[in-house]
Structure formats: C-alpha cells, structure tokens
Amino acid sequence: MYPQPSRVLGDGNTGAAVADLPYGNTSNAEVTSFDDPPPSTSLRIDTSPTERTSLLPSSAPRVRPKLSPRLGRDGSDDPPSFRGPVPARRRPISLRLSFAFACILVYVNLSFLVLTLASFKSPFMAANSLPPHYGSLFLPIWLTVLSLATNSLSLLAFVVPTESPRLTSWTAVCSTFALLIQLILVLAVGQLRHQENILTLVLLGVAIISTIHAAVSARLVIEYTPLLVSPAAPPPETGFFQSLKRVFVGLFAFLSVSLPIVVLQIAIFVAFVLLTINVILRAYDASLAPQGHIYKVNPWRRPTGGSTGVSDINGRPYNLHLACRGAELDPILALGANGEGNVTAGVLKNPTFVRRTILVENEQGVPGSVGAEWVMQMLREGTLTSSDTDIRVCFYDRPGYGFSDNSPTSAIPHVVKALSHALALSGEIARIETSPRIDSSVIPSPLARSGFVLLGTGAGALHTSLFASTYPRLVHSVLYLKPIPPSLHYSSHGHSLLHAFRFFFVDALGSWSTELGLVRIWSTLRGSSRAKRVLSTERTALRSEIMRSYLQEEAETHKPGGKSARAWENARSRYPERPTIVLSPEKTKGNYGYTSAEWSDGQETFVDNVVGRGLEKWETGWSGECGTESGDLCRESLLKLVRLD
C-alpha cells in the first residue's frame, strides 16, 4: 500500500521556498551558485510513522486482487503483452477420447479398404485375409470409403470447429438410420445374406459405429468450441486495401474450407441413401427364381499328398447356376447334392438312344438364358427332337452373371473348370460318358456317338475351344459364331498408357458407380421387370456383379502372360478334330476393337490353326445375328451338327 501524501511547508520565513510535492520533498539543500550540482530528484518514500499509522497490525486476512481479463496475476493493470504467456487450457477427457477413437476408426477403415482392393484381383487374398464374400465387393468398398470420409471429417472438426458442426451431426444421424436399414435387409434376405456374407456385415457395423461417433463428436465440438478456436486476433487495420484483402482472404477460406466440407458432408449422406435404395431393390429382385439349379462348385481343388487329397487354400467354393432342358435325365446318373456321390451301376433309360447335349457359351457380358434363347426356342418348337436321339440344351451363368456368385477371378481356365464341376454334379457328364463304375455289358454302342455339341459366340468361343481341348472325349461337334480368335485375344494389341487410363477412369470407376444404383433406380421407375434387371447385360450397367466380372475379363484381355493365355498354350495341342462349322461375318459391331484387316486375318488364322481338318463349313457372309428372322443360318448349322453321326 502506497504511503499517504504529505505536504512539506517552509520553515516559516517569508522568503523560504515552498515545495508542493505530495509524495515527499526532493531535497532541503539550497542552491547558492550555478556551479553547484543540482539537487537529487529521486523519489523518496517517507516511511516514518505519522499520526495515521496504526499502532497494531490489522487482524483481517489479506485480500488478493481478483483476476480479470485486464489485470495480471498481481492485480496490475498492465496490458496482456506485458504479463507473459497465458497458460494453455486443458481440454476435457471427452474431447481427447473422441479424437483417439476417430483415429482408431480411420485405421480400421483404411485397413479394410486396402485389403478389399487387394482381394479384388487376388484369390489368395480374398480367401485368406478377408471374411467370406460372394458378391461384387463394390458395396464393401463403398462402405469403407464413406466411413473413412466420415472419420476424416470428425478429425477435421478439431482443426476447424466452426465449420457446420450441426450439419455434420444431422447428416451422421440420418446416415446411421440408412445403414441400419441395409443391415436389416442383408440379414433378412437369404440371397443378400449369402452374397454379402460376413464381410459386408462387419463393414456395415463399422460404418454404423463411424456415423454414430461422428454425431457424438459434432455435439462435443459444438459444446467445447471456445476451447478449440484460436485466440482472437488483434483488431484489423482500417483502410480500403486492408478491407479488400480481408474480403479475398474470407472468400478463399470459404471456397477452400467451408464449401468443400459442406459438399462432402451432403455427398456422404446422399451416397448412403443411394446405397440403401439399391439394397432395397436388390432384396426385391432376389425373389426371382432361377431357371435351373444352383450348384456349389470348387474349382480351386488341387491334388495334394495329405489325407484329404485336395487343397482349397487359394479360394472358397461358390454357387454356379446351370440350367438344362430336354430329354429326361436318368436318375441313376445324378450325383449327390454335395457332389460327393457316386454313379451306381444300373440299366440306362432308353439305352438305344444317342445322347447329345448342346452346351451354350455366350458372348461376353451376356447371361446364359439371354444368349441361349434362340436355341431354347428350337427345343420348344420340337426342331431338335428326333426318334433316335435324346437332345438336351444346357446353358449356365459365368461367375457374376445372372444367378451365379462372383469369383475372385474370371480367368478362362477357372471358368471352364467350374463349368465342368457343375456338369458333373448335375449328372450331365455321366449321361454321355461311359463310367468305369457301370458294367460295360449294359452300355449300348450308340453311347459312343454321344457327346456335347459345343456352341460358342464371340468371346465365348475362347471358353469353348479350351473346354474342347481339356475334355476332348466329351465333344461331339462344335459351332462357332463370330469367334474371337485366341491369336488376337491373347496378343498385346492395344496396350498403351491411353488404354490403361481409359480402363481405370471409364471402365473401373464406371463399374464401381453401379453399386449406387442410379441406373437400376431409373430402370425401375421406367417399369422394367425383375427378370430384366437380374438378367441384364454388361452394356446396361444395372448390376454390379456382372460389372465386376467384366472388369476381371477385361484384365485378361491382350495379356500374353496371363493365366488364360498360358492355359491355352498348354492345351491347344489337345484340341480334338471334331465336325466344326464357323460363321464369321465380314464385319461385326465395332469388330471388338480390331480393324477389318485384323479381324479377317484373325478369322482365317483361327480356322487354319484351331479348327484344322475338322472344318465342315466356313461361312463369311453371315449377318451376325441368330435371334432374328435372318438367323436361319444359325438354326440350319446347329441342326446339321446335332444330327451328324
């Protein structure tokens, strides 16, 4: 406490100087000469007791000055710059836990995203690093990407807490309800539960946790915004140029921070809603019954020296749709439901009949029933039936097509092996093949003239030729319709940086976007049927399952060192000389990306090097269509091969 002011008066003399210094006198010395030094002007505080000095110290406790934004810790009225640094305010435990949990969710979603993308082309990764999944993998990829974006926005809120936290909270809550609908449908619908399986269920759970955390984190950011924002800046400078600068800085902050955050939040919510609508439509389409039977195939089985005799480390069994129509199948030739039954000896039904099965291989991106419709029409009309021949027509859906599950690979040797497994399980191979378990005394001689009449169209000719080379004893004859020659398909034609750029940004990203269901929703609004959606082709981009198979098939195209090319090189020498008819139009739609000269040379090479001496007819003036009125040449050629002995 400062001392009380005291007035120093003179000594009573008239000429004495009077000092009016309230806080004490400076000096009593008199200045007698200009050469004398000036008296001291230092401030001296008089601490001698006066009449106002208390005799006893006060018993009241000393009151510390109250802190205020304008006072220092000692109660001084110094500005903040002279008080030293203000100690940092400690954030509550709820904010720190929210930040840590967001980091954990980012790690989990990023790990699932990397593993899912790696398993897209690697059967080993799909079988050994992820839970089971038999769909397109596009829904798990979308779930991980959207969950990762949600977690990233939660972390960004700690840096810019004033950027629309309430919008984040509401969009996260609505997204949670959309994800719960997806989870309920996947669990309730059998086909969805089988295709999406454990992987999608796990990622749906992680996505729900991510959106709930985003909503809770946004509420915490709103509550503790004063702790997260930076200290207020000093008052801005005034003036025209300073104001113009502030306008540009604010506009840049809006365009680079505020607007992207709002757009991203709305985009995430819209994507979750579109995924939910697509899952609802898929659940509705799942009630469509398949035309044939679903067989659980395992083309990954490899002989080993163990007790089980097989190894399944490279992949999991999956479902393949195979439909056969025509003459009745002998019950004694059908295997068990699990494929482990044996053909037992017995008397064959109609032992004097020749048994032939037309096996249809469709164009790339076309389900089995769509491409085989004109053959089924001939069967319904009775054109293929005869008095001494049992005729059946079989078509199937490749992995990802129609009613079949997706496979981690669509390499041609893998598909051919899966088809042969399904034919064995259905009893079609035993119907036309002499089994060593059946007594040869009851096998009639016409059985030797039985076999498959293979029909391959476009890219399906590659599967047909490899099937004939792998199982030559089962082949009766072959009909090729505008076949793509292996010499062109497996060459390095068209490989360039532009081709890779187009494949990723047009084919890959376009295929991934089909899971959002925009085309499916539009097709449903236009009144398309369930069958049209389920049996859609690759060109319509309605189903993500067939789009994934299309990407896998395109990845094997023009790759001389791929699995399909190596399998053909190993098997081409075993291609059988069977009666063969080739219908090659001079020009197809786009010629599959080849020039007219390349297409013509490839057809000639195919006839000379693949078909060889088994050629019965080669027609180059064909119109290119079998399901129209101009498709009489297709019918005549097929009927000729069926009745050929």
Side-chain angles (χ1 to χ4, degrees), residues 75-135:
S76 63
D77 199 13
D78 295 332
S81 58
F82 297 101
R83 296 202 307 262
V86 178
R89 291 168 291 184
R90 189 175 181 85
R91 296 180 178 181
I93 187 66
S94 56
L95 280 179
R96 288 181 285 169
L97 288 178
S98 177
F99 182 84
F101 195 63
C103 294
I104 294 175
L105 289 175
V106 167
Y107 173 77
V108 172
N109 284 294
L110 187 60
S111 301
F112 271 112
L113 179 61
V114 172
L115 292 176
T116 305
L117 292 176
S119 65
F120 195 83
K121 289 187 61 177
S122 174
F124 181 82
M125 292 289 293
N128 297 277
S129 62
L130 287 175
H133 183 82
Y134 302 103

Side-chain angles (χ1 to χ4, degrees), residues 209 345 375 406 512 609:
I209 295 175
V375 184
N406 280 100
W512 291 343
N609 298 341

Side-chain angles (χ1 to χ4, degrees), residues 328-332 347-353 355 390:
E328 184 180 355
L329 186 67
D330 296 329
I332 63 171
V347 179
L348 296 177
K349 184 178 181 180
N350 297 328
T352 60
F353 279 17
R355 297 156 182 258
D390 278 345

Side-chain angles (χ1 to χ4, degrees), residues 374 377-378 381 631-640:
W374 66 277
Q377 183 65 27
M378 293 180 64
E381 294 173 354
D632 293 338
L633 188 58
C634 302
R635 296 169 174 260
E636 295 174 1
S637 301
L638 181 60
L639 191 59
K640 179 180 179 180

